[in-house]
């Protein structure tokens, strides 16, 4: 239990200190605040995924597979949160990148699409193990709900 508390303190400390250091950079205040928030959420995501994977030692094999998918998805989300400040920085330096369909934005949003797909398969695997069968778990239904939001 003591190891977990130390790791948790390191994760929380890093997620507070690094955004604070970002405020010392010479960029505009709005960029610094957005970047700090992205980095904070990203570090917390990496920490959650690490604790998730570390705690899976006691799970049964079938559950470990589903929860491993979910943990990898959380890492993809954290990577996506790290891509956003880079895209913001490039956009602030180059005014020609304005379209949402530009390669820069598509590249920045790719980890979020991967997060959705990998997390979906993780939840589906766990639902399959516990015997939950429903139309609500079909990929087309979930994709339709995600796009309607």
């Amino acid at each position: 239990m003591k190891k977990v508390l130390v790791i948790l303190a390191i994760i929380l400390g890093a997620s507070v200190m690094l955004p604070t250091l970002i405020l010392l950079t010479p960029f505009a205040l709005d960029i610094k605040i957005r970047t700090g928030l992205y980095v904070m959420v990203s570090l917390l995501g990496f920490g959650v995924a690490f604790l998730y994977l570390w705690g899976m030692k006691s799970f049964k094999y079938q559950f470990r597979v589903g929860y491993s998918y979910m943990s990898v998805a959380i890492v993809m989300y954290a990577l996506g949160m790290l891509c956003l400040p880079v895209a913001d920085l490039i956009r602030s330096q180059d005014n020609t990148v304005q379209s949402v369909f530009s390669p820069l934005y598509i590249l920045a949003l790719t980890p979020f699409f991967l997060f959705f797909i990998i997390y979906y398969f993780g939840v589906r695997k766990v639902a399959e193990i516990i015997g939950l069968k429903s139309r609500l778990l079909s990929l087309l239904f979930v994709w339709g709900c995600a796009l309607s939001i």
Side-chain angles (χ1 to χ4, degrees):
M1 185 69 177
K2 190 172 183 177
K3 285 183 185 179
V4 173
L5 291 177
V6 169
I7 291 172
L8 196 58
I10 290 171
I11 292 168
L12 290 174
S15 67
V16 170
M17 291 304 294
L18 200 57
T20 305
L21 292 174
I22 289 173
L23 289 175
L24 302 175
T25 59
F27 296 108
L29 183 62
D30 62 331
I31 292 175
K32 290 192 279 190
I33 290 173
R34 276 196 310 261
T35 303
L37 289 173
Y38 293 150
V39 168
M40 182 188 308
V41 170
S42 178
L43 288 173
L44 289 174
F46 284 125
V48 165
F50 174 74
L51 290 174
Y52 216 60
L53 286 172
W54 194 27
M56 282 195 310
K57 293 182 235 176
S58 61
F59 287 9
K60 292 182 179 178
Y61 173 74
Q62 294 92 353
F63 283 108
R64 252 187 271 162
V65 172
Y67 284 109
S68 295
Y69 284 154
M70 289 184 219
S71 150
V72 168
I74 291 170
V75 169
M76 291 306 298
Y77 182 80
L79 286 174
M81 290 305 281
L82 283 180
C83 289
L84 291 177
V86 173
D88 246 3
L89 185 64
I90 291 173
R91 192 189 66 181
S92 71
Q93 302 298 324
D94 182 12
N95 290 331
T96 61
V97 182
Q98 294 297 329
S99 171
V100 176
F101 299 107
S102 70
L104 175 69
Y105 282 105
I106 292 172
L107 186 64
L109 293 177
T110 300
F112 294 106
F113 290 122
L114 291 176
F115 160 77
F116 170 75
I117 292 168
I118 295 170
Y119 203 83
Y120 167 76
F121 284 115
V123 169
R124 186 152 177 166
K125 184 74 172 170
V126 171
E128 179 182 299
I129 291 168
I130 62 174
L132 181 65
K133 295 182 193 251
S134 172
R135 287 296 228 188
L136 298 176
L137 291 174
S138 73
L139 183 61
L140 291 175
F141 179 77
V142 172
W143 191 259
C145 287
L147 290 178
S148 68
I149 295 174

